[in-house]
Amino acid sequence: FKEEIKALKDPSSSIKLITVKHDNLIIGAATVELVKEEGNLAFYVRQLALLPEYRRKGLGSEIMQLIEKEARTQNLSSVVLM
């Protein structure tokens, strides 16, 4: 499986789209927003979805781990699942 992080609007956008592909088919996605919260920056995971046949295989957890890793890289204060 291949994860990709892309800006939805432009590179400076605070909203990112994460897609999970298998054989060039998008099988899952999540939207993440960079939000200023009480003076700190945080990722808000707005949506996370997988096609039914790919659920219960740990892919949702992998997406969250990818988001958490990126949050640590950017020194963000938290990741919030909405």
Side-chain angles (χ1 to χ4, degrees), residues 1 17 19 22 25 39 43 61 63 72-73 77:
F1 298 102
L17 174 66
T19 59
H22 181 66
L25 172 70
F43 272 154
S61 295
I63 293 170
R72 284 190 297 275
T73 300
S77 62

Side-chain angles (χ1 to χ4, degrees), residues 5-71:
I5 299 177
K6 296 183 178 179
L8 287 177
K9 296 178 184 171
D10 61 63
S12 64
S13 175
S14 66
I15 299 175
K16 306 294 180 196
L17 174 66
I18 298 169
T19 59
V20 181
K21 292 183 180 180
H22 181 66
D23 293 335
N24 276 336
L25 172 70
I26 294 176
I27 61 167
T31 54
V32 180
E33 183 176 5
L34 183 61
V35 175
K36 190 168 188 174
E37 174 184 86
E38 298 177 11
N40 297 309
L41 291 174
F43 272 154
Y44 276 32
V45 181
R46 298 287 182 186
Q47 299 170 329
L48 191 144
L50 288 163
L51 291 176
E53 59 268 31
Y54 291 95
R55 294 178 188 159
R56 306 195 75 55
K57 298 179 187 297
L59 295 173
S61 295
E62 285 186 41
I63 293 170
M64 288 303 299
Q65 288 172 3
L66 175 71
I67 294 167
E68 290 167 356
K69 180 180 176 184
E70 184 62 25

